[in-house]
Amino acid sequence: MKYVKAIYPGTFDPLTNGHLDLIARGSKIVDELVVAILSNADKGTPLFTVAERMEMIAEAIAASGFDNVSVTTFNGLLVEFAHAQGAKAVLRGIRAISDYEYEFPMAMMNRKLAPNLETLFMMPTEQYPYVRSRLSKGVFNLGGDVSSLVPPLVMQRLKAKGTKKI
Ligand code: PNS
């Protein structure tokens, strides 16, 4: 059997239960999974710094007991990072058809750039089809309860940010 290392890239601002579910699923089918936070994302002002996101993911990995999962950051092209890591695959989650429309061009572009790098799509548990980092932040900021959408350690950090009431 070949050793399969995969990269799970994203902005993770912040980590949600949907992300964590995908990490759990991915870690069962590959030998090594590297969660990679894009550090130069062009998505407006992030809520959490890259260092904070990295800490939260590292804590969540440790709390879940995943022994073949690590977290790091990357800049620039994902395919170059994957190559430098010796990874054969990129893991991404697909919840709804709209995700497919977002993911398909990225996967095909990555394939064009690196034909030997495969994109693996997995579906998160049916509990989290609507969970998105952006929605979780927005609901939290308006005082909504997002405690079932993010891991407890992320919830603590959200509260510590002092954003609106919870
Ligand atoms: O969590 P996100 O924001 O949906 O993740 C998007 C991400 C980080 C996977 C994507 O923006 C990415 O891979 N960026 C790195 C730049 C790159 O390689 N672009 C070419 C592929 S389209």
Side-chain angles (χ1 to χ4, degrees):
M1 277 282 278
K2 286 184 187 163
Y3 186 88
V4 178
K5 182 172 180 177
I7 309 292
Y8 178 28
T11 39
F12 304 105
D13 184 36
L15 179 78
T16 65
N17 284 338
H19 293 133
L20 209 47
D21 180 73
L22 210 77
I23 293 172
R25 287 170 199 282
S27 70
K28 281 192 230 155
I29 61 154
V30 300
D31 296 293
E32 189 179 345
L33 185 64
V34 179
V35 180
I37 307 168
L38 179 65
S39 56
N40 60 345
D42 187 17
K43 273 193 162 183
T45 312
L47 177 61
F48 291 100
T49 65
V50 171
E52 285 172 326
R53 283 178 257 161
M54 186 140 158
E55 272 173 29
M56 286 187 276
I57 295 172
E59 282 174 33
I61 291 170
S64 305
F66 303 130
D67 55 7
N68 61 344
V69 183
S70 59
V71 59
T72 188
T73 61
F74 78 105
N75 265 316
L77 280 180
L78 174 62
V79 294
E80 283 178 5
F81 172 73
H83 181 70
Q85 288 277 320
K88 291 194 180 70
V90 169
L91 175 68
R92 292 284 290 171
I94 289 214
R95 295 155 299 197
I97 294 291
S98 51
D99 281 349
Y100 182 79
E101 285 168 359
Y102 170 65
E103 296 293 334
F104 183 75
M106 287 202 292
M108 294 316 272
M109 179 59 80
N110 286 337
R111 179 178 286 172
K112 178 90 184 146
L113 295 169
N116 292 328
L117 184 71
E118 291 297 337
T119 300
L120 301 177
F121 289 117
M122 295 187 85
M123 287 163 289
T125 171
E126 55 282 6
Q127 270 180 287
Y128 307 122
Y130 58 92
V131 178
R132 287 174 163 75
S133 299
R134 195 171 52 81
L135 272 183
S136 305
K137 281 184 288 190
V139 170
F140 176 79
N141 269 323
L142 295 172
D145 181 4
V146 296
S147 56
S148 61
L149 311 184
V150 297
L153 63 101
V154 173
M155 195 64 219
Q156 280 168 18
R157 300 269 190 144
L158 277 170
K159 285 180 178 168
K161 283 272 169 199
T163 33
K164 306 278 164 57
K165 64 178 172 4
I166 186 93

